[in-house]
Amino acid sequence: MATMTLRKAVLNLHIATLAKRRICSAPTNTRGPSFLRNAIYSLTSASSSVRAEVSTRSFSTFGDGMAGRKTVVVDGLNYLSFFVPVKEPENETQKLGPWELYEVSKQRTNAFLVGCRIEGIHPIFVLDNGYQSVEATEKWKSRRADEVTNEFRRMPCNADASFAAVLREQGADVMQPLNLDADDVVARLAIENDAMILSGDRDMLRYEDLDDKENRIKQGFAFELNNSIKLIPRTDFQVRVEPRRADSITFQPEVWRKLSMNSWIYIILCEQNSHEHRVEKS
């Protein structure tokens, strides 16, 4: 009993530490099939007890071939630095080019989707598509100014479009609502589908019509020993932005799933350049 209590305490501390990061499961080695093993956190048998304590709510499941699968709405660009890992020390040292990063992105996306399937999760990815708030515009200007000043850009241009293309290529459910705040769409989808939310963005706490936030909102994820996805709960629920309602936007999931012309062009370019890159390497 004492050993189990100690394991549980260590695991709770481990999860709390991970939850402070925006990305909780970034592998340190992306080369070959072993990269996933390096991303796995050693969650012992105590994890089942923690899972039971974290959430007792039974969230909705999908029908039509998805029976029993929990729905999780993913704030996609919040985790871009996991799927396009330019900030990880190994990749910075190796100075991977855009197409090498594209191949790594495909590996990590596949690992995430496989992990979701093992855990019985149906992820819906929501990515920004043209929406610009005053705050976001100012942040964008500041980042571009820093890049010009330092003559260095870490994240490849159009990494978000590339990530969307990779997701669709691998059969993921992707929504890119035109000129809408992705946070609004994430919250609205979660409400309509009685789903959980995966987002490290504190703004997700602002929605007055989103109930049970303590169980519903997950801040990060990790891979368990069987390669399944472990969702890491949020620990801080202090609202620091102006409250609003998700039902302020019209619910149009099929419209949000439609590809823009820019997305179609990028998918074609990604496939063409990826093929040429493979030919060059061979």
Side-chain angles (χ1 to χ4, degrees):
M1 180 63 71
T3 302
M4 183 64 181
T5 303
L6 178 59
R7 283 183 177 180
K8 186 175 176 181
V10 171
L11 180 63
N12 282 335
L13 177 61
H14 183 59
I15 289 177
T17 302
L18 291 175
K20 292 178 182 179
R21 307 179 189 175
R22 299 183 74 82
I23 303 304
C24 303
S25 56
T28 57
N29 177 13
T30 58
R31 296 303 184 187
S34 64
F35 92 92
L36 183 56
R37 291 196 294 274
N38 295 323
I40 294 172
Y41 291 103
S42 180
L43 301 177
T44 66
S45 57
S47 64
S48 59
S49 300
V50 174
R51 184 181 292 111
E53 291 177 2
V54 166
S55 176
T56 57
R57 174 171 178 167
S58 177
F59 288 91
S60 70
T61 56
F62 269 56
D64 300 329
M66 298 183 184
R69 298 181 69 183
K70 300 182 291 289
T71 308
V72 177
V73 186
V74 183
D75 184 0
L77 296 188
N78 210 239
Y79 301 96
L80 187 62
S81 60
F82 165 76
F83 293 101
V84 186
V86 291
K87 295 182 180 180
E88 291 176 21
E90 179 180 338
N91 294 329
E92 282 192 316
T93 301
Q94 294 179 2
K95 299 188 184 302
L96 297 182
W99 296 110
E100 286 87 357
L101 282 170
Y102 177 68
E103 294 301 319
V104 172
S105 179
K106 290 200 292 187
Q107 291 180 3
R108 294 194 172 198
T109 300
N110 178 259
F112 183 88
L113 294 176
V114 168
C116 286
R117 282 198 294 273
I118 294 173
E119 188 62 20
I121 290 173
H122 171 67
I124 302 175
F125 291 85
V126 178
L127 285 75
D128 288 292
N129 186 16
Y131 176 78
Q132 292 183 330
S133 65
V134 174
E135 179 185 1
T137 300
E138 291 304 313
K139 187 182 294 184
W140 184 90
K141 289 180 179 178
S142 175
R143 288 174 178 173
R144 300 298 82 78
D146 288 343
E147 291 167 0
V148 171
T149 301
N150 298 322
E151 298 183 355
F152 176 74
R153 178 184 175 94
R154 178 179 281 111
M155 186 65 72
C157 292
N158 286 328
D160 54 344
S162 172
F163 177 43
V166 169
L167 285 169
R168 287 194 170 92
E169 179 187 33
Q170 299 195 20
D173 192 355
V174 184
M175 298 190 185
Q176 291 179 280
L178 185 63
N179 296 324
L180 289 177
D181 188 336
D183 289 349
D184 291 351
V185 175
V186 168
R188 187 65 194 273
L189 282 166
I191 293 169
E192 293 293 332
N193 291 294
D194 193 25
M196 290 183 285
I197 291 173
L198 178 57
S199 175
D201 194 340
R202 188 189 301 274
D203 289 358
M204 207 56 65
L205 303 171
R206 75 192 314 175
Y207 295 97
E208 298 173 320
D209 46 345
L210 181 68
D211 67 349
D212 197 17
K213 295 180 178 66
E214 290 78 8
N215 287 322
R216 199 167 203 159
I217 301 176
K218 310 299 179 181
Q219 182 165 322
F221 62 90
F223 292 97
E224 297 206 54
L225 294 176
N226 66 346
N227 297 346
S228 65
I229 288 293
K230 169 74 176 181
L231 299 180
I232 308 298
R234 171 171 280 281
T235 57
D236 179 8
F237 291 91
Q238 184 178 358
V239 181
R240 299 179 182 175
V241 290
E242 196 70 26
R244 66 180 185 220
R245 295 181 62 86
D247 61 9
S248 61
I249 63 171
T250 304
F251 185 63
Q252 297 178 300
E254 294 311 314
V255 173
W256 298 338
R257 283 190 179 96
K258 289 182 179 178
L259 281 170
S260 65
M261 181 59 68
N262 181 58
S263 297
W264 275 116
I265 293 172
Y266 204 84
I267 287 174
I268 294 170
L269 288 175
C270 283
E271 283 304 300
Q272 178 182 348
N273 283 278
S274 181
H275 171 73
E276 291 174 355
H277 179 67
R278 288 194 296 269
V279 170
E280 287 176 1
K281 290 181 67 175
S282 62

